[in-house]
């Protein structure tokens, strides 16, 4: 009876999926005519280079045109971290009872992770510094750095991600983001206005405030995710 | 520069053969340890020679591909070692016709050492 039900459900889902996707003809140009002025996608594609001098159009949309939305996303991540920390955080007096979940790893893994950690951190920093030139950006680079910290946390049992340092990095990054936004509000009348000179297209220092914001976002995401991992890996042993 | 290109194509073919053999090994081998062995060794050399071959065909990318090759040479055996050790610690016994478990002995020695320290 249950199997028949599952099969009927699968057939229904498949029917509606094919019905929906058959409406979209394969290989159709869904952006529309890019020379039209009213087309939003065409506006971004045609004007990003001249107005912001950023090679990566996606980054220009995420950080510049939709910069306020990105600030909201960062806030959501911050709130998630805060909630997790407030549930799972251990007080200082319990600190000697805290134990890492993971078992001690072999010396091979320890040595290897000591070699790999700087390389992973370098890759993450590269990804968020070049966010306005190549695919990737603050969120991706921050996540890469957090994986490096995860490697260290599971291979060294007494490796501690310093919480005061994490808090400082995160707060400074957030303050930088908001300060840049407020500066735009003061000087040219709208929040997160790109007031700095754009510079030359495809250069590392170009795009005005976009690389600065992405570097701040990268540090913020890295600090938050590292804090989450550190909290999740620490448990109190049963007495 | 033509010679470099042909070396690159040769490396690509070798890498492809090794990757295919690795996939075949994962499909054919009986238990996790054997599969890990086939998968890691074949895919390490396969991926390394494919990436190096791309570097030879496109000489602008040679330095980047060399860095990636070094990274794979460090990370790939390490991860397979960690997976194998974790499987052993979780209690997965290897399927073997000749009953031999050399790792168990080293395990006992290590544990006694840790107690002394």
């Amino acid at each position: 009876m249950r199997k028949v039900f599952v099969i009927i459900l699968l057939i229904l889902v498949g029917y509606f999926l094919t019905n929906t996707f058959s409406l979209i003809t394969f290989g159709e140009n869904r952006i529309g005519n890019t020379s039209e002025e009213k087309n939003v996608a065409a506006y971004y594609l045609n004007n990003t280079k001249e107005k912001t001098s950023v090679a990566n159009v996606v980054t220009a949309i995420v950080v510049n045109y939709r910069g306020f939305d990105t600030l909201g996303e960062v806030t959501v991540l911050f709130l998630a971290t805060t909630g997790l920390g407030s549930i799972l955080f251990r007080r200082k007096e319990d600190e000697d009872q805290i134990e890492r979940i993971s078992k001690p790893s072999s010396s091979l893994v320890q040595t290897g992770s000591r070699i790999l950690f700087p390389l992973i951190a370098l890759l993450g920093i590269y990804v968020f510094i070049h966010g306005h030139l190549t695919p990737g950006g603050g969120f991706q680079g921050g996540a890469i750095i957090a994986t490096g910290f995860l490697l260290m946390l599971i291979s060294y049992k007494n490796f501690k991600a310093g919480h005061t340092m994490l808090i400082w990095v995160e707060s400074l990054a957030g303050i930088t983001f908001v300060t840049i936004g407020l500066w735009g509000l003061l000087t040219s009348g709208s929040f997160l206005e790109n007031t700095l000179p754009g510079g030359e297209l495809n250069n590392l220092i170009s795009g005005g405030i976009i690389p600065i914001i992405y570097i701040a976002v990268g540090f913020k995401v890295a600090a938050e995710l590292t804090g989450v991992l550190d909290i999740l890996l620490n448990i109190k042993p049963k007495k | 520069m033509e010679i470099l290109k042909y070396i690159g194509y040769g490396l690509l073919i070798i890498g492809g053969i090794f990757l295919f053999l690795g996939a075949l090994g994962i499909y054919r081998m009986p238990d996790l340890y054997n599969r890990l062995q086939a998968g890691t060794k074949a895919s390490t050399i396969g991926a390394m020679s494919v990436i190096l071959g791309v570097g030879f065909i496109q000489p602008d990318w040679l330095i980047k591909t060399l860095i990636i090759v070094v990274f794979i040479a460090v990370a790939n055996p390490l991860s397979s070692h960690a997976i194998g050790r974790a499987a052993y610690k979780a209690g997965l016994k290897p399927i073997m016709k000749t009953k031999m478990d050399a790792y168990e002995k080293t395990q006992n020695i290590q544990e006694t050492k840790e107690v002394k320290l």
Side-chain angles (χ1 to χ4, degrees):
Chain A
M1 187 61 215
R2 215 174 138 192
K3 277 182 184 170
V4 176
F5 192 69
V6 167
I7 288 169
I8 290 170
L9 206 69
L10 278 178
I11 289 170
L12 273 177
V13 168
Y15 172 74
F16 282 113
L17 273 181
T18 46
N19 228 6
T20 317
F21 283 117
S22 62
L23 294 175
I24 304 164
T25 44
F26 185 71
E28 193 195 1
N29 177 14
R30 290 177 60 79
I31 294 175
N33 190 5
T34 44
S35 54
E36 237 175 86
E37 272 297 309
K38 284 179 182 175
N39 194 331
V40 179
Y43 176 83
Y44 287 141
L45 283 177
N46 292 330
N47 291 311
T48 304
K49 270 187 196 170
E50 292 91 56
K51 289 206 170 172
T52 63
S53 70
V54 163
N56 188 347
V57 180
V58 176
T59 304
I61 292 170
V62 168
V63 180
N64 203 350
Y65 294 112
R66 301 270 177 273
F68 195 58
D69 192 43
T70 305
L71 185 61
E73 279 166 29
V74 173
T75 315
V76 166
L77 194 62
F78 171 71
L79 284 178
T81 315
T82 315
L84 205 66
S86 62
I87 293 170
L88 293 174
F89 188 70
R90 305 278 169 229
R91 271 189 225 89
K92 267 203 173 155
E93 45 260 40
D94 302 342
E95 209 156 57
D96 46 333
Q97 293 179 343
I98 292 171
E99 230 174 72
R100 212 27 83 55
I101 283 179
S102 56
K103 285 175 180 161
S105 59
S106 64
S107 55
L108 256 177
V109 173
Q110 290 183 349
T111 318
S113 61
R114 221 183 307 154
I115 298 168
L116 289 178
F117 174 67
L119 292 174
I120 294 172
L122 192 70
L123 175 70
I125 290 167
Y126 175 88
V127 165
F128 69 66
I129 284 181
H130 288 75
H132 56 301
L133 303 174
T134 54
F139 290 97
Q140 293 86 344
I144 291 169
I145 292 174
T147 56
F149 274 106
L150 175 63
L151 188 65
M152 290 303 274
L153 283 169
I154 58 176
S155 52
Y156 285 95
K157 227 182 161 187
N158 48 6
F159 179 83
K160 279 204 177 98
H163 267 275
T164 40
M165 194 199 69
L166 288 180
I167 289 165
W168 272 101
V169 168
E170 195 194 335
S171 324
L172 279 180
I175 288 168
T176 313
F177 199 152
V178 177
T179 315
I180 289 169
L182 287 176
W183 192 46
L185 188 65
L186 286 177
T187 49
S188 49
S190 72
F191 193 70
L192 280 171
E193 181 73 38
N194 199 343
T195 44
L196 289 176
E200 227 174 287
L201 190 73
N202 264 336
N203 270 10
L204 183 60
I205 300 170
S206 69
I209 62 168
I210 290 172
I212 304 171
I213 286 178
Y214 243 8
I215 288 167
V217 169
F219 274 115
K220 199 167 158 59
V221 170
E224 277 164 356
L225 291 182
T226 309
V228 167
L229 292 171
D230 190 46
I231 289 167
L232 283 179
L233 282 172
N234 282 335
I235 52 157
K236 214 183 200 175
K238 280 175 194 166
K239 279 168 192 171
Chain B
M1 286 301 107
E2 280 293 299
I3 306 159
L4 272 183
K5 230 175 202 178
Y6 286 117
I7 294 172
Y9 289 137
L11 282 172
L12 279 189
I13 291 168
I14 293 168
I17 290 168
F18 270 101
L19 285 175
F20 171 74
L21 288 176
L24 194 71
I26 289 171
Y27 178 65
R28 286 287 295 165
M29 290 293 185
D31 71 333
L32 185 132
Y33 302 102
N34 286 315
R35 281 181 183 168
L36 207 62
Q37 158 120 328
T40 312
K41 283 183 179 166
S43 76
T44 306
I45 189 74
M48 275 162 77
S49 66
V50 164
I51 290 166
L52 205 65
V54 171
F56 274 120
I57 292 168
Q58 192 75 256
D60 300 346
W61 300 349
L62 192 57
I63 298 166
K64 279 186 192 177
T65 52
L66 277 175
I67 293 169
I68 297 172
V69 162
V70 171
F71 187 81
I72 288 174
V74 176
N76 219 347
L78 209 69
S79 59
S80 88
H81 156 78
I83 292 170
R85 192 166 172 275
Y88 189 88
K89 292 249 164 166
L92 190 69
K93 289 287 168 206
I95 301 166
M96 273 192 218
K97 282 171 187 169
T98 55
K99 293 280 177 195
M100 196 179 114
D101 199 346
Y103 188 60
E104 202 177 8
K105 292 172 194 168
T106 57
Q107 206 59 32
N108 291 334
I109 294 165
Q110 270 183 6
E111 270 166 22
T112 49
K113 265 185 190 173
E114 273 170 17
V115 168
K116 273 176 192 171
L117 284 169

